[in-house]
Amino acid sequence: TIGPVEFASTPADLLSGLTFTTPFIAGAKFVDQVYWSLIVELQFYIAIGLIYVVASKRFAAAWTLYVGASLACWFIGTTYGVHLLVSFANRIFLLPYLAHFTLGIAFYFLYSGRAGGWRTLALVALLTYVVVAGRAPVAWHIAHSVMVVLFVLFLWGKLGWIATRPLRFLGEISY
């Protein structure tokens, strides 16, 4: 094994981690528990890159179709007990994270001054959020609402007070 007892990994775990295939291999463990997010990010960047290359002029519509395909897989899979479709929605289309990605894209559209598409994307994000997090604890919904409010305040230029030296320092060293 590799690493301390509480984080012990096998060479196979290390190989699956290096190739970003850990969640797709039965029994494989992450070498470091925070690596799960890297795989989600990589999949997101591949998906958004492909969608942008194929449909950059109609990106909001193409992204909406992508999210719609994920929701369709999930609904059909859960309704008819087709586990493969549910897995496809969750692991390939990244349904658990699509509300966040979609809202981020909508906020980017607003921030960059792109007039078209942000309303549709915001509505798609809300719908996806309701489907995915509908039964989440109230604290989860409060945290998400606070994040949305903070970003809207950022767009309106009302968060200048947050740019203090200590917070900027923390932001710089976190990356």
Side-chain angles (χ1 to χ4, degrees), residues 61-137:
W63 184 262
T64 299
L65 286 174
Y66 177 82
V67 175
S70 176
L71 289 169
C73 285
W74 185 82
F75 278 120
I76 293 168
T78 55
T79 301
Y80 297 105
V82 183
H83 179 72
L84 181 63
L85 286 178
V86 175
S87 289
F88 200 73
N90 289 330
R91 292 188 177 248
I92 304 300
F93 282 111
L94 301 171
L95 181 59
Y97 314 101
L98 284 183
H100 300 98
F101 293 148
T102 305
L103 193 58
I105 296 166
F107 281 144
Y108 171 75
F109 273 39
L110 276 170
Y111 179 73
S112 65
R114 290 180 72 172
W118 75 266
R119 287 181 182 90
T120 300
L121 290 169
L123 183 61
V124 168
L126 179 62
L127 171 67
T128 308
Y129 179 82
V130 168
V131 168
V132 171
R135 296 184 209 158

Side-chain angles (χ1 to χ4, degrees), residues 18-30:
L18 290 172
T19 58
F20 294 103
T21 57
T22 304
F24 306 105
I25 298 174
K29 293 182 350 188
F30 286 104

Side-chain angles (χ1 to χ4, degrees), residues 30-77:
F30 286 104
V31 175
D32 186 326
Q33 295 305 306
V34 298
Y35 287 176
W36 71 269
S37 68
L38 294 176
I39 294 166
V40 171
E41 287 178 56
L42 180 65
Q43 285 180 264
F44 167 71
Y45 292 133
I46 290 170
I48 198 169
L50 290 172
I51 292 168
Y52 188 80
V53 165
V54 171
S56 62
K57 301 280 190 232
R58 306 231 351 121
F59 180 81
W63 184 262
T64 299
L65 286 174
Y66 177 82
V67 175
S70 176
L71 289 169
C73 285
W74 185 82
F75 278 120
I76 293 168

Side-chain angles (χ1 to χ4, degrees), residues 1-3 8-19 22 25 28-29 31:
T1 62
I2 302 168
S9 297
T10 65
D13 292 333
L14 180 62
L15 182 62
S16 69
L18 290 172
T19 58
T22 304
I25 298 174
K29 293 182 350 188
V31 175

